[in-house]
Amino acid sequence: MVISALNSRSISIGYVCSTCARCLRQTSANKRTTRRNLTTTIHNALAYRWDTLAPSPSQLLYADTFFLARPPRLLWSAAKFRTIGFGSLPEVAFLGRSNVGKSSLLNAVLQRKISYTSSKPGRTRTMNAFGVGGEDGRGNEARLVVLDMPGYGKGSREEWGREIMKYLVGRRELRRAFLLVDAEHGVKRSDEQLLAMLRQNAIPHQILLSKVDKILLPGSKFPSENALAHNYSKLKRIFEKIRDTVQPEARDGPPALGEILTCSAEKSIGRGIKLGINGIRWAILSAVGLENPHSAPPKIEVREEQSQSLDNP
């Protein structure tokens, strides 16, 4: 009798009825569907647009392919604007306060450790130009140039600010300046100074919010639907506040592009791409006129060189 009971118990432990098995499969499928839906919601929350259209999945895939097909190449480094040689490739420049996450972002965009990251402000001390996209078939060793600029603010130097402004105002190859702003701390006074200078000199520019994971995905666990909705409402308020700053009613020049992108160099979702990185890659291609595989960069127009400085706060 005891043996029979033990055998019965052992059988029941290893057996799951067909109905229960279907329930388990359905529950697992529901969880996967919910996570996919939340992942889509997260990706959609990474941008705030009012003057532009969102890129399609195929356009984002093309942007990833463009940046990952060939490794980036260091073309030049310069501490002074006057030492930079003439170029024939379109350029984009990445700017931001010290420790805003610029170096980490560029490492993620180019998927190479091209910039040193440090908790100490002011690690990047020169303008560093990286060629992207491989040879263009016309004798150029790249199809576009991405510039990593010295940070401003704490740990910066006044002469760095002067050289940054000389580049922004006088570089004829520049197509767009991307200004990084910390999502948690918002636009600071030094950022506002730079934005005013960009408008006054009619320099195309766009805002990127770094470290967005601290707002949208805090903690180590995947958020619930309610938690994600709460976090996004907080992020949307940040978007709206920054929009008023970058497109002020009293215009002193062309405002920032009507599109705020966000990113995180720390967290990734889906295929392992860091949050917002493919969107930034697409924005770079759009800025230089390389939105499709057969497009050629637009003709470079010469701008008269001027000189202004970006003061430390």
Side-chain angles (χ1 to χ4, degrees):
M1 197 67 173
V2 174
I3 295 175
S4 176
L6 288 173
N7 289 337
S8 175
R9 185 180 303 169
S10 65
I11 291 173
S12 64
I13 290 174
Y15 174 73
V16 178
C17 73
S18 59
T19 302
C20 292
R22 284 196 299 272
C23 290
L24 289 173
R25 286 195 297 270
Q26 186 61 47
T27 300
S28 178
N30 290 341
K31 288 182 178 179
R32 289 195 298 271
T33 301
T34 300
R35 182 163 182 130
R36 280 197 300 269
N37 291 339
L38 289 177
T39 298
T40 300
T41 300
I42 291 170
H43 284 300
N44 292 337
L46 295 175
Y48 183 65
R49 299 179 173 90
W50 61 96
D51 284 339
T52 65
L53 297 176
S56 66
S58 61
Q59 288 172 326
L60 293 176
L61 180 60
Y62 166 65
D64 288 342
T65 302
F66 183 98
F67 276 84
L68 302 180
R70 299 286 188 276
R73 300 181 60 180
L74 176 64
L75 302 180
W76 50 263
S77 293
K80 301 287 186 181
F81 174 68
R82 59 182 171 78
T83 65
I84 302 174
F86 294 107
S88 59
L89 297 173
E91 300 175 357
V92 295
F94 282 77
L95 310 162
R97 289 173 55 82
S98 300
N99 272 7
V100 75
K102 178 169 52 63
S103 295
S104 297
L105 169 63
L106 287 175
N107 288 341
V109 168
L110 302 180
Q111 203 156 319
R112 293 290 191 282
K113 192 172 182 180
I114 52 95
S115 296
Y116 291 104
T117 58
S118 173
S119 58
K120 184 179 179 180
R123 184 66 184 266
T124 303
R125 302 183 178 184
T126 58
M127 295 176 279
N128 302 307
F130 299 91
V132 179
E135 296 182 0
D136 65 354
R138 295 177 294 177
N140 295 313
E141 50 190 338
R143 298 184 67 189
L144 69 90
V145 179
V146 174
L147 266 84
D148 181 13
M149 308 293 277
Y152 54 87
K154 183 179 179 181
S156 183
R157 297 179 183 177
E158 187 175 349
E159 61 265 28
W160 296 351
R162 286 196 298 267
E163 297 305 318
I164 289 173
M165 287 310 304
K166 287 179 182 178
Y167 169 86
L168 293 174
V169 175
R171 188 64 170 173
R172 63 193 179 99
E173 292 86 358
L174 179 63
R175 288 292 173 268
R176 186 180 299 172
F178 290 93
L179 175 60
L180 266 72
V181 173
D182 190 305
E184 281 192 301
H185 300 113
V187 177
K188 298 294 186 180
R189 184 173 178 274
S190 55
D191 298 322
E192 292 178 348
Q193 291 175 344
L194 178 56
L195 285 167
M197 290 180 182
L198 292 172
R199 291 193 299 269
Q200 291 161 8
N201 291 281
I203 299 169
H205 57 287
Q206 180 172 1
I207 297 295
L208 305 178
L209 289 186
S210 64
K211 307 177 185 180
V212 72
D213 56 297
K214 297 183 182 298
I215 304 295
L216 199 59
L217 301 172
S220 57
K221 294 183 179 181
F222 200 87
S224 66
E225 187 173 356
N226 290 337
L228 183 59
H230 172 77
N231 296 342
Y232 177 68
S233 65
K234 182 178 179 181
L235 179 60
K236 188 175 180 181
R237 289 193 295 271
I238 295 172
F239 281 145
E240 292 169 347
K241 183 177 180 180
I242 290 178
R243 174 180 176 172
D244 293 339
T245 301
V246 302
Q247 290 198 345
E249 292 184 6
R251 299 287 174 85
D252 49 0
L257 182 69
E259 173 183 272
I260 300 174
L261 301 181
T262 69
C263 58
S264 169
E266 300 299 326
K267 288 190 178 180
S268 59
I269 290 180
R271 295 178 295 138
I273 298 176
K274 303 297 183 182
L275 288 177
I277 296 303
N278 53 5
I280 293 174
R281 289 170 177 162
W282 175 254
I284 293 172
L285 295 183
S286 299
V288 301
L290 291 173
E291 297 96 326
N292 66 69
H294 306 293
S295 58
K299 183 179 179 181
I300 293 175
E301 298 177 358
V302 178
R303 268 203 314 266
E304 184 178 350
E305 182 176 346
Q306 302 176 33
S307 178
Q308 291 193 26
S309 64
L310 177 63
D311 295 329
N312 290 333

